[in-house]
Coordinates of all heavy atoms in Angstrom, one line a residue:
F286 N 13.5 -43.8 -14.7 CA 12.4 -43.1 -15.5 C 13.0 -42.0 -16.3 O 13.7 -41.1 -15.7 CB 11.3 -42.7 -14.5 CG 10.3 -41.9 -15.3 CD1 9.4 -42.3 -16.2 CD2 10.3 -40.4 -15.1 CE1 8.4 -41.6 -16.8 CE2 9.3 -39.7 -15.7 CZ 8.4 -40.2 -16.5
I287 N 12.8 -41.8 -17.5 CA 13.2 -40.7 -18.4 C 12.0 -39.8 -18.8 O 11.1 -40.5 -19.4 CB 14.0 -41.2 -19.6 CG1 15.2 -42.0 -19.2 CG2 14.4 -40.0 -20.4 CD1 15.9 -42.6 -20.4
P288 N 12.0 -38.5 -18.3 CA 10.7 -37.8 -18.5 C 10.5 -37.6 -20.1 O 11.5 -37.4 -20.8 CB 11.1 -36.5 -17.8 CG 12.1 -36.8 -16.9 CD 12.9 -37.9 -17.4
M289 N 9.3 -37.7 -20.5 CA 8.9 -37.5 -21.9 C 9.7 -38.3 -22.9 O 10.0 -37.8 -23.9 CB 9.0 -36.0 -22.2 CG 8.1 -35.1 -21.4 SD 8.2 -33.3 -21.8 CE 10.0 -33.0 -21.1
Q290 N 10.1 -39.6 -22.5 CA 10.9 -40.3 -23.3 C 10.2 -40.6 -24.6 O 10.8 -40.7 -25.8 CB 11.2 -41.7 -22.7 CG 12.1 -42.5 -23.5 CD 12.5 -43.7 -22.6 OE1 11.9 -44.1 -21.7 NE2 13.5 -44.4 -23.0
S291 N 8.8 -40.8 -24.7 CA 8.1 -41.2 -25.8 C 7.7 -39.9 -26.7 O 7.1 -40.1 -27.8 CB 6.9 -42.0 -25.5 OG 6.0 -41.2 -24.6
A292 N 7.8 -38.7 -26.2 CA 7.5 -37.5 -26.9 C 8.5 -37.0 -27.9 O 9.8 -37.5 -27.8 CB 7.3 -36.2 -25.9
S293 N 8.1 -36.3 -28.9 CA 9.1 -35.8 -29.9 C 10.0 -34.9 -29.3 O 9.8 -34.2 -28.3 CB 8.2 -35.2 -31.0 OG 7.6 -34.0 -30.6
E294 N 11.1 -34.7 -30.1 CA 12.2 -33.7 -29.7 C 11.6 -32.3 -29.5 O 11.9 -31.5 -28.7 CB 13.3 -33.9 -30.6 CG 14.2 -35.1 -30.5 CD 15.4 -35.1 -31.5 OE1 15.6 -33.9 -32.0 OE2 16.1 -36.0 -31.6
E295 N 10.7 -31.9 -30.5 CA 10.1 -30.7 -30.6 C 9.3 -30.5 -29.3 O 9.3 -29.4 -28.6 CB 9.2 -30.5 -31.7 CG 8.6 -29.1 -32.0 CD 7.8 -29.1 -33.1 OE1 7.7 -29.9 -33.9 OE2 7.2 -27.9 -33.5
T296 N 8.5 -31.5 -28.9 CA 7.6 -31.4 -27.7 C 8.5 -31.2 -26.5 O 8.1 -30.4 -25.5 CB 6.8 -32.5 -27.7 OG1 5.9 -32.5 -28.8 CG2 5.8 -32.4 -26.4
Q297 N 9.5 -32.0 -26.5 CA 10.4 -32.1 -25.2 C 11.1 -30.6 -25.1 O 11.2 -30.2 -24.0 CB 11.5 -33.1 -25.3 CG 10.9 -34.6 -25.3 CD 12.2 -35.5 -25.3 OE1 13.2 -35.2 -24.8 NE2 11.9 -36.7 -26.0
E298 N 11.4 -30.1 -26.2 CA 12.2 -28.7 -26.1 C 11.2 -27.7 -25.6 O 11.6 -26.8 -24.9 CB 12.8 -28.3 -27.6 CG 13.5 -27.2 -27.5 CD 14.4 -27.0 -28.6 OE1 15.0 -28.0 -29.1 OE2 14.5 -26.0 -29.2
I299 N 9.9 -27.8 -26.1 CA 9.0 -26.7 -25.7 C 8.6 -26.8 -24.3 O 8.6 -25.8 -23.5 CB 7.6 -26.9 -26.5 CG1 7.9 -26.6 -28.0 CG2 6.5 -26.2 -26.0 CD1 6.7 -26.9 -28.9
V300 N 8.5 -28.0 -23.6 CA 8.1 -28.3 -22.3 C 9.3 -27.8 -21.5 O 9.3 -27.1 -20.4 CB 7.8 -29.8 -22.0 CG1 7.7 -29.9 -20.5 CG2 6.5 -30.1 -22.8
W301 N 10.6 -28.3 -21.8 CA 11.8 -28.0 -21.0 C 12.1 -26.4 -21.0 O 12.5 -25.9 -20.0 CB 13.0 -28.7 -21.5 CG 13.0 -30.1 -21.0 CD1 13.0 -31.3 -21.7 CD2 13.0 -30.6 -19.7 NE1 13.0 -32.4 -20.9 CE2 13.0 -32.0 -19.6 CE3 13.0 -29.9 -18.4 CZ2 13.0 -32.7 -18.4 CZ3 12.9 -30.6 -17.1 CH2 12.9 -32.0 -17.3
K302 N 11.8 -25.8 -22.1 CA 11.9 -24.3 -22.1 C 11.0 -23.6 -21.2 O 11.4 -22.6 -20.5 CB 11.8 -23.8 -23.6 CG 12.9 -24.0 -24.5 CD 12.6 -23.3 -25.9 CE 13.8 -23.3 -26.7 NZ 13.5 -22.7 -28.1
R303 N 9.7 -24.1 -21.1 CA 8.9 -23.5 -20.2 C 9.2 -23.7 -18.8 O 9.2 -22.8 -17.9 CB 7.4 -24.1 -20.5 CG 6.3 -23.3 -20.0 CD 6.3 -22.0 -20.8 NE 5.3 -21.1 -20.3 CZ 5.4 -19.7 -20.4 NH1 6.4 -19.2 -21.1 NH2 4.5 -18.9 -20.0
V304 N 9.8 -25.0 -18.4 CA 10.2 -25.3 -17.1 C 11.4 -24.3 -16.7 O 11.5 -23.8 -15.6 CB 10.6 -26.7 -17.0 CG1 11.3 -27.0 -15.7 CG2 9.4 -27.7 -17.1
I305 N 12.5 -24.3 -17.6 CA 13.6 -23.4 -17.3 C 13.2 -21.9 -17.3 O 13.7 -21.2 -16.5 CB 14.6 -23.7 -18.4 CG1 15.1 -25.1 -18.4 CG2 15.7 -22.6 -18.3 CD1 16.0 -25.5 -19.6
F306 N 12.2 -21.5 -18.0 CA 11.7 -20.1 -17.9 C 11.3 -19.8 -16.5 O 11.8 -18.7 -16.1 CB 10.5 -19.9 -18.9 CG 9.9 -18.6 -18.9 CD1 10.3 -17.6 -19.6 CD2 8.7 -18.4 -18.2 CE1 9.8 -16.3 -19.6 CE2 8.2 -17.2 -18.0 CZ 8.7 -16.1 -18.8
F307 N 10.4 -20.5 -15.9 CA 10.0 -20.3 -14.5 C 11.1 -20.7 -13.5 O 11.2 -19.9 -12.5 CB 8.8 -21.1 -14.2 CG 7.5 -20.6 -14.9 CD1 7.0 -21.3 -16.0 CD2 6.9 -19.4 -14.5 CE1 5.8 -20.8 -16.7 CE2 6.0 -18.9 -15.2 CZ 5.3 -19.6 -16.3
A308 N 12.0 -21.6 -13.8 CA 13.1 -22.1 -12.8 C 14.1 -20.9 -12.7 O 14.6 -20.6 -11.6 CB 13.6 -23.2 -13.2
M309 N 14.2 -20.0 -13.8 CA 15.1 -19.0 -13.6 C 14.5 -17.6 -13.3 O 15.1 -16.5 -13.5 CB 15.9 -18.8 -15.1 CG 16.6 -20.1 -15.4 SD 17.7 -19.9 -16.8 CE 18.9 -18.7 -16.3
S310 N 13.3 -17.6 -12.8 CA 12.5 -16.5 -12.4 C 12.3 -15.4 -13.4 O 12.4 -14.3 -13.1 CB 13.3 -15.9 -11.1 OG 13.6 -16.8 -10.1
M311 N 12.1 -15.9 -14.6 CA 11.9 -14.9 -15.6 C 10.5 -14.6 -15.8 O 10.1 -13.5 -16.5 CB 12.5 -15.3 -17.0 CG 14.0 -15.7 -17.0 SD 14.9 -14.2 -16.8 CE 14.5 -13.3 -18.2
G312 N 9.5 -15.3 -15.2 CA 8.1 -15.2 -15.3 C 7.6 -14.0 -14.5 O 6.4 -13.6 -14.8
T313 N 8.2 -13.6 -13.4 CA 7.6 -12.6 -12.6 C 8.4 -11.3 -12.5 O 7.8 -10.3 -12.2 CB 7.4 -13.2 -11.1 OG1 8.9 -13.6 -10.7 CG2 6.7 -14.5 -11.2
A314 N 9.7 -11.4 -12.8 CA 10.5 -10.1 -12.6 C 10.5 -9.3 -13.9 O 10.9 -9.8 -15.0 CB 11.9 -10.4 -12.2
S315 N 10.1 -8.1 -13.8 CA 10.2 -7.2 -15.1 C 11.5 -6.8 -15.3 O 11.9 -6.5 -16.6 CB 9.3 -6.0 -14.9 OG 9.8 -5.2 -13.6
A316 N 12.5 -6.7 -14.4 CA 13.8 -6.4 -14.6 C 14.8 -7.1 -13.7 O 15.2 -6.6 -12.6 CB 14.1 -4.9 -14.5
P317 N 15.0 -8.4 -14.0 CA 15.9 -9.3 -13.1 C 17.3 -8.7 -13.2 O 17.7 -8.0 -13.9 CB 15.8 -10.7 -13.7 CG 15.3 -10.6 -15.1 CD 14.6 -9.2 -15.1
P318 N 18.1 -9.2 -12.2 CA 19.5 -8.7 -12.2 C 20.3 -9.3 -13.3 O 19.9 -10.1 -14.2 CB 20.0 -9.4 -10.8 CG 18.9 -10.1 -10.1 CD 17.8 -10.2 -11.2

Side-chain angles (χ1 to χ4, degrees):
F286 172 72
I287 301 176
M289 297 181 292
Q290 186 176 15
S291 59
S293 64
E294 291 185 5
E295 181 181 2
T296 301
Q297 291 185 37
E298 185 166 317
I299 292 174
V300 173
W301 281 120
K302 277 185 176 180
R303 204 63 186 157
V304 171
I305 293 173
F306 175 84
F307 288 105
M309 298 187 70
S310 302
M311 299 297 295
T313 56
S315 59

